[in-house]
Amino acid sequence: MSSVLILGATSDMARAIARAYVKVGRSVILAARNPERLELDLVDLQVRAHVQARSVGFDVLDITHHGAFLDGLGELPGTIVCVVGGMGDQATSEREVAGAELVMRTNYVGPVALFSEAANRMATRGTGTLIGISSVAGERGRARNYIYGSAKAGFTVFLSGLRQRLAQAGTEVRVVTVLPGFVRTSATAGMTTPGMLTAEPKEVADAILRAESGGPETIFVRPIWRVVMAVIRALPESIFKKLRI
Ligand SMILES: NC(=O)c1ccc[n+]([C@@H]2O[C@H](COP(=O)([O-])OP(=O)(O)OC[C@H]3O[C@@H](n4cnc5c(N)ncnc54)[C@H](OP(=O)(O)O)[C@@H]3O)[C@@H](O)[C@H]2O)c1
């Protein structure tokens, strides 16, 4: 079976995704800025499933080297999951353009650049799966996180257009958009989030595996988020701009 490349592999979500893939016999390549932080994860995965697991260095901001990064892996992976992202700090982003730029580059420019390189290679091969972790934050701009949200919105739209392009080109390359609401990870550890709206990383991983094997290509992880966002999107601006959500 073909390998799975997981970008942003130090995150709790990526860890759950890697475990889910090795469980079904897929070998994994874990990519992170500091791959030495992944040593325990590699041992854990190999003990769990006796499949190949290795780590590689990867910086999503280093866009001029993304092509060389992919070519350096040897065989092009069958599946690439981009977990890379980061909310940043909205207040900092409002004050300093450099803060906002980092959020935009981490959540939009970098992932788009990497997936563009990967998509062209997969299109030539004719098969593959690209899975992007976007966010419900990209469904409508909110005061508390609109820099992050706008970058995720861009990523969501990119994935939609890429999916259509690859389908119309007659390839069998699947593009999956993951739109989680709240997920219990180290990044949200200090936040109080409603239980019903908060998924575990394993739920994200299970939803991804279902999407990979023929399920819907746009997934909200917890279905309730589809309803919540439909309501939020439908609110008139006159009401929405008064809400503190
Ligand atoms: N948690 C939630 O409630 C939630 C909800 C919706 C969407 N999401 C999205 O889900 C994904 C994972 O989120 P999380 O909560 O697990 O957050 P996280 O722990 O902050 O994960 C972010 C990952 O991105 C990596 N990363 C950041 N900048 C990078 C760069 N320049 N190059 C390579 N990797 C880089 C981080 O690596 P380092 O360890 O090197 O920093 C980390 O592995 C993100 O895309 C996030 O936007 C999360």
Side-chain angles (χ1 to χ4, degrees):
M1 265 197 273
S2 63
S3 63
V4 181
L5 171 64
I6 302 176
L7 308 163
T10 51
S11 65
D12 294 337
M13 221 182 277
R15 287 198 167 97
I17 294 166
R19 284 187 199 137
Y21 273 112
V22 299
K23 210 168 154 191
V24 295
R26 300 281 296 271
S27 61
V28 291
I29 307 168
L30 306 182
R33 289 190 280 201
N34 303 112
E36 61 283 358
R37 283 175 54 200
L38 297 167
E39 274 167 32
L40 287 178
D41 296 276
L42 291 177
V43 173
D44 175 66
L45 292 172
Q46 277 153 355
V47 168
R48 274 173 199 267
H50 305 292
V51 296
Q52 276 188 1
R54 64 185 166 107
S55 63
V56 288
F58 170 73
D59 187 340
V60 84
L61 303 180
D62 189 13
I63 61 173
T64 52
H65 293 108
H66 283 176
F69 165 77
L70 290 171
D71 294 339
L73 296 174
E75 200 182 337
L76 183 65
T79 299
I80 303 180
V81 189
C82 183
V83 187
V84 173
M87 284 179 270
D89 177 62
Q90 173 68 23
T92 308
S93 294
E94 287 171 20
R95 261 194 333 268
E96 301 161 16
V97 75
E101 190 199 10
L102 182 61
V103 173
M104 292 185 261
R105 289 167 65 220
T106 303
N107 292 284
Y108 177 72
V109 177
V112 164
L114 187 285
F115 269 7
S116 296
E117 292 281 359
N120 292 343
R121 286 163 175 75
M122 286 184 177
T124 302
R125 183 175 63 189
T127 59
T129 307
L130 293 168
I131 300 172
I133 311 287
S134 191
S135 171
V136 294
E139 298 291 287
R140 188 160 187 179
R142 292 186 297 134
R144 67 176 57 183
N145 68 355
Y146 64 85
I147 297 294
Y148 168 73
S150 62
K152 287 296 196 187
F155 189 41
T156 299
V157 171
F158 165 80
L159 293 170
S160 168
L162 182 63
R163 179 181 307 119
Q164 193 182 41
R165 170 195 144 195
L166 294 171
Q168 290 176 358
T171 75
E172 287 179 24
V173 181
R174 278 174 73 75
V175 179
V176 175
T177 309
V178 187
L179 297 168
F182 302 119
V183 185
R184 206 179 313 279
T185 67
S186 58
T188 55
M191 291 164 60
T192 310
T193 57
M196 216 169 71
L197 297 177
T198 308
E200 297 299 327
K202 185 178 180 305
E203 291 177 64
V204 180
D206 292 345
I208 284 177
L209 258 75
R210 282 195 298 276
E212 161 112 41
S213 53
E217 288 156 301
T218 298
I219 49 178
F220 280 83
V221 184
R222 287 222 166 170
I224 189 171
W225 275 104
R226 188 181 289 280
V227 180
V228 171
M229 293 320 297
V231 171
I232 289 179
R233 275 195 309 268
L235 288 172
E237 282 297 334
S238 56
I239 295 175
F240 185 70
K241 66 185 180 188
K242 291 181 193 147
L243 294 181
R244 296 189 181 274
I245 55 170

